[in-house]
Amino acid sequence: MPRHARGFDVEQALAHLQRRDRRLAGWIRRIGPLEAPAGWRGPFDPVDALARAILFQQLSGKAASTIVGRVEAGIGSRRLHADTLARIDDAGLRACGVSGNKALALRDLARRELAGEIPSTRQMAWMHHEAIVEALVPIRGIGRWTVEMMLMFRLGRPDILPIDDLGIRKGAQRVDGGETMPTPRELLARGERWGPYRTWASLYLWRIADLADAGGAKTNRSQD
């Protein structure tokens, strides 16, 4: 298995998509070039990232950031790991605004970290993205979509297509002018032509979906 770099050649990805998909190419010209996610360049800690993903689930960015700040204050650290999360009990987490289910998920993450079940960034560099998904989805509160966001926005894997994401499906519907959103299975088949740069296609599909909404404001889809 070759070593995977964090990020990829976005110009090459752009040229590939424009060559392989005429309809998508039209939208790409309309939108213009996208910037590579900032998370490709910064330091990355899988355990901390997963803990933050758990805390962000089903909340607005503002509300989640407030709760994360309270947890950081409660543990006296900006690093969410088994050793630091052990500094606060479940009652303390609840006082920070963390739900019971999320507290259980954080405890499961910490337990799995101590058991050596969470691959490090270095280990992930040698793993296929499906192997990373398989390693992380057993964690309570972590589903495939959460891992896919990490693969796209933090590890910079080039060929990720989150077929269950409503924004992706909405963008694909608009590209093709369909009356309904494609099903996940239909989107998987539709996306074959975008490989091996389905991540870059996904970023455009999200932007296309944003443009379909009033104002066209960009939606933040990571915990950066």
Side-chain angles (χ1 to χ4, degrees), residues 129-204:
H129 61 258
E130 286 294 341
I132 296 174
V133 171
E134 290 175 8
L136 299 181
V137 293
I139 302 168
R140 184 182 180 118
I142 298 296
R144 185 180 183 91
W145 182 89
T146 299
V147 182
E148 287 173 336
M149 296 305 102
M150 187 184 76
L151 288 165
M152 296 172 75
F153 289 100
R154 304 306 297 271
L155 293 179
R157 292 297 176 93
D159 203 26
I160 309 300
L161 180 63
I163 59 174
D164 295 308
D165 186 279
L166 291 178
I168 296 282
R169 293 170 60 199
K170 185 176 182 178
Q173 176 189 358
R174 198 158 192 223
V175 167
D176 292 335
E179 293 184 2
T180 61
M181 289 189 295
T183 66
R185 178 173 292 185
E186 290 169 342
L187 181 58
L188 181 63
R190 176 71 172 83
E192 285 295 323
R193 73 185 67 184
W194 303 326
Y197 293 111
R198 288 182 285 186
T199 292
W200 208 240
S202 297
L203 295 180
Y204 271 101

Side-chain angles (χ1 to χ4, degrees), residues 59-114:
L59 293 174
S60 69
K62 182 177 181 180
S65 295
T66 297
I67 291 173
V68 169
R70 291 172 183 165
V71 173
E72 290 175 343
I75 64 178
S77 174
R78 291 181 59 84
R79 178 177 174 271
L80 305 183
H81 267 259
D83 56 345
T84 57
L85 288 171
R87 300 172 186 172
I88 190 170
D89 60 15
D90 289 350
L93 286 173
R94 287 195 298 272
C96 293
V98 179
S99 70
N101 282 335
K102 289 184 179 182
L104 289 172
L106 290 175
R107 298 306 184 200
D108 187 48
L109 173 66
R111 180 185 66 79
R112 291 176 184 275
E113 180 197 352
L114 293 174

